[in-house]
Amino acid sequence: GENVEQHPSTLSVQEGDSAVIKCTYSDSASNYFPWYKQELGKRPQLIIDIRSNVGEKKDQRIAVTLNKTAKHFSLHITETQPEDSAVYFCAARVNNNDMRFGAGTRLTVKP
Amino acid sequence: GAVVSQHPSWVICKSGTSVKIECRSLDFQATTMFWYRQFPKQSLMLMATSNEGSKATYEQGVEKDKFLINHASLTLSTLTVTSAHPEDSSFYICSARTNLAGFPRDEQFFGPGTRLTVL
């Protein structure tokens, strides 16, 4: 089955700096890669996703890149703000099968 | 649109009792529902996948007789933790997908979670 690895486990940046979180996946048939933001005790919230036929997608301060050859994808947050502090999870899914999550990255944005 | 609710939001029970958690898709028909468990500071671990009207498919290591899942309608799935023990204490989150027109094909919509504490 699919195996997703995520790095780093914790990330601390100064407000205004950029943050990058990286994930790798094992199943080359995976074709959907969402990123979720989860605040303590709350549900994961989809912040951006990308499909395997696209190499990059951007939504304001958030962007995701996908390298299918290397089987890795990354989340980029620019101009970070304290409210970006949360745990971020990447995930990967093969067709209609289950979605597998990375271990999560705790992002702290220092004011 | 695409709202998923869970009930209860938190529950405390005695060891040996059973607890039922409900997951509802409020404004869409969920063709597939997923149940996840999340321990503190850890990731979401898939427990089982259920399609409406079919038996749930459990992940390896998840006891189907202990975690009973029922997906009797397109808007409701239930997870029953039978004979709960302290090690079952966790955050349980459901999510739903739909293949109906008008909704994102790939997206999973998550419920708010249920925090279970077994004494």
Side-chain angles (χ1 to χ4, degrees):
Chain A
E2 177 64 276
N3 182 45
V4 179
E5 296 196 357
Q6 183 172 346
H7 299 281
S9 56
T10 60
L11 179 60
S12 181
V13 299
Q14 285 296 133
E15 182 176 1
D17 288 350
S18 295
V20 180
I21 303 171
K22 299 181 178 181
C23 286
T24 60
Y25 59 99
S26 60
D27 193 333
S28 57
S30 289
N31 58 7
Y32 176 63
F33 308 91
W35 285 88
Y36 292 90
K37 176 183 180 182
Q38 187 180 31
E39 297 177 357
L40 188 63
K42 297 189 176 181
R43 78 185 84 196
Q45 297 276 8
L46 178 70
I47 55 172
I48 196 167
D49 57 12
I50 191 167
R51 290 169 181 79
S52 57
N53 58 346
V54 177
E56 185 174 355
K57 183 176 178 181
K58 189 174 182 180
D59 182 4
Q60 298 184 356
R61 298 187 296 111
I62 296 173
V64 57
T65 58
L66 171 65
N67 183 325
K68 286 195 298 182
T69 303
K71 289 190 283 188
H72 67 69
F73 55 114
S74 301
L75 176 71
H76 304 252
I77 306 175
T78 58
E79 300 171 34
T80 54
Q81 302 165 2
E83 49 266 38
D84 293 330
S85 297
V87 179
Y88 291 80
F89 292 99
C90 63
R93 186 169 69 214
V94 181
N95 295 322
N96 288 321
N97 292 340
D98 332 303
M99 199 146 62
R100 302 292 166 158
F101 286 80
T105 297
R106 183 171 300 278
L107 173 65
T108 302
V109 180
K110 298 177 183 177
Chain B
V3 178
V4 177
S5 71
Q6 268 183 255
H7 179 80
S9 55
W10 59 269
V11 57
I12 300 173
C13 69
K14 292 182 178 179
S15 185
T17 60
S18 294
V19 174
K20 179 186 282 188
I21 302 170
E22 293 186 348
C23 176
R24 294 182 184 272
S25 54
L26 298 184
D27 52 359
F28 68 100
Q29 292 180 321
T31 46
T32 306
M33 283 189 170
F34 307 86
W35 286 96
Y36 293 85
R37 180 165 57 181
Q38 186 176 34
F39 292 110
K41 297 186 179 182
Q42 294 189 23
S43 188
L44 287 82
M45 300 303 296
L46 180 66
M47 298 175 67
T49 303
S50 72
N51 294 295
E52 184 265 340
S54 302
K55 287 184 178 180
T57 301
Y58 289 81
E59 292 299 297
Q60 192 172 10
V62 179
E63 300 175 56
K64 62 179 181 180
D65 294 330
K66 180 171 182 62
F67 299 99
L68 302 178
I69 291 172
N70 183 284
H71 190 172
S73 77
L74 283 172
T75 59
L76 173 64
S77 176
T78 61
L79 167 67
T80 301
V81 183
T82 62
S83 187
H85 291 285
E87 56 265 31
D88 297 324
S89 298
S90 188
F91 193 50
Y92 291 86
I93 307 177
C94 69
S95 73
R97 279 183 69 193
T98 181
N99 57 10
L100 299 178
F103 287 88
R105 179 168 55 88
D106 292 316
E107 191 170 343
Q108 280 182 219
F109 305 99
F110 284 85
T114 297
R115 184 160 302 284
L116 170 64
T117 301
V118 184
L119 302 177

